[in-house]
Each structure stands twice: as C-alpha cells, then as structure tokens.
Amino acid sequence: MIFLVGFILLSIGSALSQITVSVSPTASHPIPTTLWGQMYEVNAGDGGLYAELLQNRAFQQVAAGTSAALKAWYSVNSALLTVVNETEPVSSALPNALKVTVASDATGPVGFGNTGYFGMKFTAGNTYNASFYYRFPENPDFIGELNASLQTSAGNVLASTSVLVAGNQTSWKQVFVSLTPDITPDATDNVFVVTTDGAAASGLTINFAMFSLFPPTFKNRQNGMRIDIAEVSTLQAMKPSFFRFPGGNNLVCRGQNTASRWVWNTTLGHLVDRPGRSGDWGYINTDGLGLLEYLLWCEDLEMEPIMAVWAGYGLGGQSIAEDDLEPYIQSAIDQALFIYIAAARRAELGHPEPFKLTYVEIGNEVRPSLRIGRYGYRWNLYVTALQVEFPNLHFIATTFPFNPILDPTPTEYDVHVYQSSTWMSENSFYYDGFQRNGTKYFEGEYATTKNDQGVFPSTTRSTFQYSTVEAATADAVFMTGFERNADIVFAASYAPLLQVNASFFRTILHPNLVVFDAGAVYPSVSYYVQQLFGFYRGDEYIPSTLPARNGTVFWSVVRKTSVINRNDNATDVTFQLPFNVSNTATVTVLTGAKTSANTPSNPDLVLPQTSSIFTGSTFDYSAPPFSVNVLVLNID
Ligand SMILES: *C1O[C@H](CO)[C@@H](O)[C@H](O)[C@H]1NC(C)=O
Ligand SMILES: *[C@@H]1O[C@H](CO)[C@@H](O)[C@H](O)[C@H]1NC(C)=O
Ligand SMILES: *[C@@H]1O[C@H](CO)[C@@H](O)[C@H](O)[C@H]1NC(C)=O
Ligand SMILES: *[C@@H]1O[C@H](CO)[C@@H](O)[C@H](O)[C@H]1NC(C)=O
Ligand SMILES: *[C@@H]1O[C@H](CO)[C@@H](O)[C@H](O)[C@H]1NC(C)=O
Ligand SMILES: *[C@@H]1O[C@H](CO)[C@@H](O)[C@H](O)[C@H]1NC(C)=O
Ligand SMILES: *[C@@H]1O[C@H](CO)[C@@H](O)[C@H](O)[C@H]1NC(C)=O
Ligand SMILES: *[C@@H]1O[C@H](CO)[C@@H](O)[C@H](O)[C@H]1NC(C)=O
Ligand SMILES: *[C@@H]1O[C@H](CO)[C@@H](O)[C@H](O)[C@H]1NC(C)=O
Ligand SMILES: *[C@@H]1O[C@H](CO)[C@@H](O)[C@H](O)[C@H]1NC(C)=O
C-alpha cells in the first residue's frame, strides 16, 4: 500500500492565517536510502556505546608511577598500588601493569577496586564476564586465591568467585570469570573488586594487566555495545541508514603530535594488542571500540559505513607537508583494502566476507578559521591515489563547498552546521539554490545549538545543555529542506550523537542527541525528531505548495510503499490532495512548551504522541504551536 507523510511545523506559536497546501500528483525525485543516519563522535565510545564497564582497564597511555595512572582504581585494605612500566609487559602495546604489594602485617581481604567511568549498573540475573592477566614477578612460595567480586560502594558483595593461583606463575596468565548478581542495587555507584587473603599473601607482590568487565551486550557480541544505548528504544529505533566514523575529532588530533592520531590497524585484534590513544577531547581512548567493531555495528543496525581517513592535519595547526604524505595515503589505502579486499586479515579476525563500503571521507571539517594547512594538495594526493585502487569508491570532501576549488572536482561534500534556531528555520531553503550538476551533499553534522543568532564555532556557554522543543522544531525545519533537496542531499546526521551525564567527560559540544549515565539513557527532544524522520522516511518526494521561506509553518510530503496504521485531528492547514485517501489517518505529534527539554531529571517530558484524524482529498489540520507533526495517509 502506498502512503503519504506530511511534516508540519510551527516554529513560532503566533496566530496564523489559514495555509493551504496543495500536493502534486507526481513525485519529483526519489529519496536516497542513505538520507537519515548517525554520526559517531569521540565522546560516544568508551564509557558509552562501548559496553566495557571498567575505566582505565589496561593503564593505557598513562605515565607509570603517577597517581593519575591509577585513575578509577583504589586500594582495598591498604594494599600498595602503583602503575609500573613492566619489565616483561603483557604485550608490546601495553607497557604498563598494576603492581600490588600486600603489607607484611596484612589480614583480611586485601586488593583493589575499580569504580568504572561514572559508576556501574549491575542487574540481578545478568552475567558479567570479567578477565585479567596476573603474574608473580618475584616467584614466591605461595598458593592462594584471587577473589573477584561485584560490590556496592558500601562493600555489599553482589557476586563473587575465586581462582587458585600459584606464586611460581612468573609469566602472564589470563583469568576469565563470570559473575551473576542475584540482587539489583538501586544505586549505580557500584565497583569491581579483586582481593586476596592478606594473612596468606603478606609481603607478596602481584602484577596485573588488561582487565575487562562486560555486561551482556547488544546482540551478545563479545567486546560489544551497551544494550540500552544500542537497542530498540534508542539508536536502533532511529532506523539509521549510515554510520559516519571514526568521529570528527578523531580525525583531527587536537594540538597533539601526529603519533597520537587515530591509526586504523592499531585498533584491531586482541585487546592486549591495542595501545589506545590520547583522545582529542582530553581523555584516553581504549580503542576497544575499533575499526572492526564499528563495521560490525554497521552490520548489526544495517547501516552503510561512511568512513573517514586521517588526512594529515590537526586542530592544533599541525600539518603534514605535501612531500611527506605518502605513508599516510598508503595507510588510508590499506584501511580501505582491509574493509573489502584483504580477506586474509579479515578472516583472521572472524569476518572473511567483505564489508560494504561506498563512501570514504578525506579528513574532517576543514574550516578557514583553523590554520590546518592546505587541504587542496591533500585532497588531490589522497583522492588520486585512492581512485587508482578503488575506482568505485566515492570520496567526500570536507571543505566548505566550493572554497577552495579542489582538483579532482569533488562529487560529494560534507557540510557541517551548528546554529541557532533562528538560523536553522531561516535556512530550510539552504540547498534549493544549489546547482544540479552532479555534486551531492552530505550534511554530516548539524544541530540547533542555541536560540540566539550564534555562529559556529560558538562557545558552549550559550548553547543548550539539552535540546529544547524550540531547538528540535528548528532541526525539523532544516530537515524538511534535505527531503525537498534529496536529489542532491544524499545523507544527513545530527551531531553529536551521545553525551554522558557526568562531569567525567568534558563536554565539548552540546546539546547531544542522546544523554546517558551509568544506569539509563535520556533521548532528547531532538532525538524524537530524528526518530520520526527516520521511521517515516519516504521513497519519493512529492512537491507541494512551498512553505514561506521566513514563515513559521513548514512541511514536506513523501511517499513510500509500505503498510502502516491510521489516525485523526483538525484545522489551520488545509491539504488538497490529488488522490483519494482513506478517511482516517495517523498523526504523530511531538510538541511541548518552547523551552521544554528532556533531561536526566525529567527524561520523558516531551514524547511523540500518536492519534487519529479524519482525512479526505481535502482536509484541515491544526498543528499545535512548536510541534512536529507526522501525518500518515493511506492512498486508496
Ligand atoms: C487535536 O487532537 C488532540 C488530541 O486528540 C486534542 O487534544 C486537540 O484539542 C485537537 N486540536 C483541535 C484544534 O481540535
Ligand atoms: C619502559 O621501560 C622500557 C625498558 O624496560 C623503556 O624502553 C621505556 O622507555 C620505558 N617507558 C617509559 C614510558 O618509561
Ligand atoms: C570473596 O570476597 C568476598 C568479600 O571478602 C567474600 O564475601 C566472598 O565470600 C569471597 N568469595 C569467594 C568465592 O571466596
Ligand atoms: C607451580 O606450583 C604449583 C602448585 O604448587 C605446581 O602444581 C606446579 O607444578 C608448579 N609449576 C611449576 C612450573 O613449577
Ligand atoms: C560472556 O562469556 C560467555 C561464555 O564465555 C560468552 O558466551 C558470552 O558471549 C560472553 N559475553 C560477552 C558480552 O562477552
Ligand atoms: C600498521 O600499518 C603500518 C603501515 O601503514 C605498519 O608500519 C604497522 O606496523 C602496522 N601496525 C600494526 C599494529 O599492524
Ligand atoms: C557544481 O556546481 C558548483 C557550484 O557552482 C561548482 O563549484 C562545482 O564545480 C560544480 N560541479 C561540477 C561537477 O560541475
Ligand atoms: C546529570 O543528571 C542530573 C540529574 O539526574 C543533573 O542534575 C545533572 O545536571 C546532569 N549532569 C549533566 C552533565 O548532564
Ligand atoms: C521574508 O524575508 C524577506 C527577506 O528577508 C522579506 O523581504 C520579506 O518581507 C519577508 N516576508 C515575510 C512574510 O515576512
Ligand atoms: C476518487 O474516487 C472516485 C470514486 O471512486 C473516483 O471517481 C475518482 O476518480 C478518484 N479520484 C482520484 C484522484 O483518484
């Protein structure tokens, strides 16, 4: 069955004269299947989408001997803890280990705990897989137990298990245990603890490396994603069609040296073989969520990867000279080869089949305000070399179109915009004036971030912490422009996608689409706009009376072949349809007070509500102030 979808939006709650929307009998252009997707940013993985519960699990990228190296770890019963540069590291990628010394007069359980990123949620009946490596560097005459447990912050043991260890274990040995709590504590300030009997182990030194603690994951993938962030009610429910990764700011090392860039092949394989890196937003990335995990995530959500490659420049102004780019270009070629050609390496990692790859983005967000060297020669050298190897790939330029002029002429541009609600609603027609000459556009990052006339980059001070109804309706106005121009706009993703609700992570940009903490996720009002557009995505765009460019009511009409429910409501906008429709239709309305936001303390303040309306070839609909309305009409 064919149905029609109209988006109507009142961005200002003022009184309106009657608006008449006449709908064309024929579609003007198909809507690309890639239109609505997701953009991964650097604050989304560790402690977020990536389900690992322990923070600083492998002492990656920390300076041995410092107290900072012990971040998230604490001593239990006076054990002496130090992070050391191991003489026999567990792997070449992980030089550091946790050295634990038990005092000579110790009694009772002695050891250490980890507090997680911002707490840990434990649920009765779930199995938590824990693992770690240990060794006794001094070969003591000892046989005893290591006890691994999940505990509340007050020390109530929720689950525990013990393993027998012998002091002659002088080389690294990995231990796997599973822990299943039988109660769910109310709080999330829980901990993971490892102890040994102090009296038996008095005076001993034990070294530990590469810990891990995983809850059940999305689709039960090992090393996988956090279910409540990934699942039906959040990211999956957006029905995203693409995933842009590995994150804008993972592609522009912030004032750091080139060595700290994201390097695809150091994010593969066993976790002990991943060195991690000092991230661009001021915290350490484990790289546990690496290239393969991104690709599997794409498969799990049926998203197409839009993969970016590092193009030799950083936000701090660092830039690789033209003559020195060759090895980095080779690395980009190898990255693409890995994804769909180098079967042997993929097979080794459990995925012999090639992954889908159509789009490769060269770098990230080249803005004139940033002194990041010349993009022109990078674009030329990267694209020329990649095209030889991969004639079917599309390469996306990240400069503002069309400055500077690039050679070869880009067929795709990634355009970013973080703007005020006024700017967004005035720019619904942004793409209408663009030439139709074969160049396509990817709105790879956009968000309404403030209600005044701000210009990006804006200070975060004046931007919304959580998107409001005003901001979300402005996003929707801008998005109707993508549908109308979907003949040249092939993809769009709100950014950033995820933000932890804790002071742990420095929040560089906000609002974010989904906020989360250790225990829950809080989809923003803007999230529901994305979900509505994603869920009701059309196959074809149907022209209709154009909204006023600086008006307050906007709409977009699309059609697709599918079956869905129906519904009804009343006036202000009169639709004139060139087809007969069934006499009831479904309307889903997202509305609220202009300043309302979904926050951790009031997460469900603004939710889409669905009801029925009576319809016909001509019908009236009254859209509430500040609302996004999806009308679903079945064509007879
Ligand atoms: C539209 O329907 C909603 C839900 O049934 C109702 O609350 C509202 O009053 C209706 N609006 C008008 C203008 O009738
Ligand atoms: C760690 O020790 C090794 C040799 O044992 C040395 O080469 C390396 O520089 C040390 N690393 C640090 C960060 O001190
Ligand atoms: C592990 O230690 C905790 C806390 O001391 C204790 O309650 C528990 O019984 C121990 N578990 C095992 C399996 O030894
Ligand atoms: C280590 O100690 C255990 C327990 O005493 C013993 O069974 C084992 O044979 C020893 N291993 C070696 C290599 O000596
Ligand atoms: C936990 O361990 C079990 C048993 O090895 C395994 O089947 C399961 O996939 C693991 N779960 C995760 C999330 O790694
Ligand atoms: C990654 O690739 C580079 C070549 O681009 C190579 O020198 C390096 O050894 C590789 N690293 C790993 C961990 O495979
Ligand atoms: C398309 O039009 C833009 C803007 O006029 C121009 O810069 C670009 O080079 C054109 N692309 C092609 C492929 O002609
Ligand atoms: C986290 O949520 C609490 C309410 O539960 C709120 O008071 C706090 O401001 C939030 N913090 C951030 C950074 O979002
Ligand atoms: C819309 O904006 C244009 C240019 O800014 C202005 O000339 C026009 O009067 C405005 N129209 C309305 C209805 O406000
Ligand atoms: C609507 O239905 C009527 C009665 O079946 C039919 O005569 C008319 O042609 C239809 N109109 C359209 C636009 O399909």
Side-chain angles (χ1 to χ4, degrees):
M1 189 184 297
I2 287 182
F3 70 86
L4 247 184
V5 182
F7 286 95
I8 306 172
L9 193 131
L10 269 77
S11 70
I12 295 172
S14 56
L16 291 156
S17 52
Q18 183 76 22
I19 290 172
T20 299
V21 177
S22 294
V23 176
S24 157
T26 50
S28 56
H29 54 266
I31 293 181
T33 53
T34 45
L35 189 58
W36 306 124
Q38 293 178 351
M39 188 267 171
Y40 176 90
E41 191 48 273
V42 295
N43 61 339
D46 291 310
L49 183 58
Y50 181 54
E52 172 66 70
L53 290 167
L54 305 181
Q55 186 187 166
N56 190 18
R57 67 180 180 188
F59 315 98
Q60 291 161 287
Q61 305 296 328
V62 295
T66 62
S67 58
L70 282 166
K71 183 164 192 172
W73 296 94
Y74 65 93
S75 163
V76 171
N77 205 358
S78 305
L80 182 64
L81 308 185
T82 8
V83 172
V84 293
N85 179 13
E86 248 286 3
T87 50
E88 292 174 34
V90 68
S91 67
S92 58
L94 300 179
N96 292 331
L98 178 67
K99 178 180 170 190
V100 180
T101 305
V102 180
S104 52
D105 57 351
T107 55
V110 175
F112 52 88
N114 186 289
T115 52
Y117 284 90
F118 33 86
M120 302 183 209
K121 182 182 178 170
F122 294 136
T123 306
N126 276 355
T127 295
Y128 294 81
N129 290 357
S131 64
F132 56 84
Y133 290 81
Y134 74 92
R135 75 180 194 102
F136 288 85
E138 291 157 0
N139 196 8
D141 183 11
F142 172 76
I143 295 182
E145 288 183 338
L146 289 178
N147 172 326
S149 61
L150 308 182
Q151 301 187 7
T152 65
S153 57
N156 297 322
V157 177
L158 303 164
S160 78
T161 187
S162 61
V163 290
L164 201 61
V165 297
N168 61 9
Q169 185 67 49
T170 55
S171 60
W172 289 106
K173 178 164 184 175
Q174 194 175 16
V175 167
F176 296 91
V177 297
S178 65
L179 296 159
T180 308
D182 50 18
I183 62 156
T184 302
D186 292 335
T188 54
D189 58 346
N190 303 305
V191 293
F192 170 74
V193 174
V194 175
T195 55
T196 188
D197 178 61
S202 64
L204 296 191
T205 291
I206 316 176
N207 285 2
F208 293 86
M210 186 64 235
F211 291 83
S212 178
L213 179 66
F214 266 88
T217 57
F218 184 62
K219 300 207 175 213
N220 195 28
R221 285 217 182 262
Q222 290 188 13
N223 199 40
M225 307 299 186
R226 189 174 132 171
I227 292 174
D228 61 350
I229 294 179
E231 75 178 356
V232 183
S233 63
T234 44
L235 300 190
Q236 191 180 35
M238 287 167 66
K239 300 207 177 296
S241 56
F242 71 84
F243 187 65
R244 174 173 174 243
F245 72 90
N249 279 57
N250 270 335
L251 269 303
V252 275
C253 33
R254 175 176 284 263
Q256 295 169 356
N257 52 38
T258 302
S260 76
R261 73 195 189 281
W262 186 84
V263 182
W264 71 275
N265 66 348
T266 62
T267 72
L268 295 174
H270 295 301
L271 296 181
V272 282
D273 295 329
R274 305 187 195 189
R277 55 186 279 274
S278 189
D280 307 319
W281 284 10
Y283 45 84
I284 290 157
N285 292 9
T286 64
D287 284 338
L289 178 48
L291 179 57
L292 186 72
E293 288 77 19
Y294 291 127
L295 294 165
L296 294 172
W297 170 241
C298 287
E299 287 196 342
D300 283 350
L301 259 57
E302 295 174 30
M303 300 181 290
E304 157 150 2
I306 294 186
M307 181 182 76
V309 295
W310 192 69
Y313 58 90
L315 276 180
Q318 203 185 37
S319 169
I320 305 284
E322 186 167 0
D323 290 346
D324 300 330
L325 270 181
E326 197 284 328
Y328 304 100
I329 294 172
Q330 187 57 48
S331 174
I333 291 172
D334 293 344
Q335 186 178 337
L337 284 172
F338 168 76
I339 289 176
Y340 72 155
I341 299 191
R345 180 72 171 120
R346 279 196 318 271
E348 220 175 271
L349 298 171
H351 198 288
E353 310 78 28
F355 290 97
K356 180 170 180 171
L357 185 66
T358 309
Y359 296 104
V360 172
E361 184 160 350
I362 309 300
N364 173 62
E365 198 173 273
V366 179
R367 280 184 264 125
S369 60
L370 297 168
R371 293 182 298 278
I372 49 181
R374 297 189 176 281
Y375 189 72
Y377 69 75
R378 296 174 205 294
W379 170 263
N380 178 273
L381 293 175
Y382 272 80
V383 171
T384 309
L386 282 157
Q387 264 172 348
V388 171
E389 295 276 347
F390 313 103
N392 297 324
L393 284 184
H394 290 242
F395 301 100
I396 304 176
T398 57
T399 51
F400 193 79
F402 308 89
N403 178 21
I405 301 291
L406 298 174
D407 170 36
T409 302
T411 48
E412 279 87 9
Y413 276 97
D414 178 2
V415 182
H416 296 177
V417 53
Y418 293 94
Q419 273 288 5
S420 68
S421 51
T422 311
W423 191 96
M424 288 299 214
S425 56
E426 285 176 357
N427 280 274
S428 172
F429 286 80
Y430 186 84
Y431 286 103
D432 289 59
F434 276 56
Q435 279 188 43
R436 269 57 183 168
N437 63 3
T439 307
K440 303 272 171 116
Y441 304 91
F442 170 29
E443 196 76 24
E445 295 180 28
Y446 65 95
T448 305
T449 56
K450 54 207 287 183
N451 54 16
D452 54 310
Q453 278 283 9
V455 177
F456 185 81
S458 57
T459 59
T460 53
R461 262 178 296 119
S462 56
T463 64
F464 297 118
Q465 180 72 40
Y466 304 106
S467 88
T468 59
V469 168
E470 179 182 19
T473 50
D475 295 338
V477 171
F478 199 47
M479 291 165 76
T480 59
F482 303 156
E483 287 189 328
R484 187 171 53 252
N485 291 284
D487 57 326
I488 57 168
V489 177
F490 72 101
S493 43
Y494 185 99
L497 186 63
L498 291 166
Q499 171 190 318
V500 64
N501 173 33
S503 54
F504 172 74
F505 285 132
R506 191 152 69 102
T507 305
I508 299 275
L509 288 179
H510 48 68
N512 289 243
L513 201 60
V514 174
V515 176
F516 60 89
D517 56 24
V521 292
Y522 313 101
S524 68
V525 186
S526 286
Y527 166 82
Y528 290 106
V529 168
Q530 295 294 321
Q531 197 199 62
L532 288 171
F533 276 77
F535 188 81
Y536 293 109
R537 69 178 65 219
D539 295 333
E540 294 181 300
Y541 183 79
I542 303 181
S544 58
T545 310
L546 284 178
R549 283 177 184 248
N550 40 11
T552 56
V553 183
F554 296 81
W555 53 87
S556 172
V557 182
V558 299
R559 173 165 57 201
K560 83 183 221 175
T561 310
S562 178
V563 183
I564 86 152
N565 315 340
R566 21 264 178 52
N567 229 320
D568 181 358
N569 200 317
T571 27
D572 277 355
V573 182
T574 301
F575 282 93
Q576 294 177 340
L577 305 176
F579 9 70
N580 291 328
V581 294
S582 51
N583 61 1
T584 58
T586 309
V587 58
T588 304
V589 183
L590 183 69
T591 188
K594 179 176 164 179
T595 55
S596 289
N598 294 337
T599 64
S601 49
N602 197 355
D604 298 328
L605 185 59
V606 184
L607 296 178
Q609 305 289 342
T610 297
S611 59
S612 284
I613 53 170
F614 287 107
T615 53
S617 300
T618 298
F619 70 98
D620 295 337
Y621 178 74
S622 170
F626 288 99
S627 62
V628 177
N629 306 259
V630 181
L631 282 70
V632 179
L633 300 117
N634 293 293
I635 298 178
D636 279 346

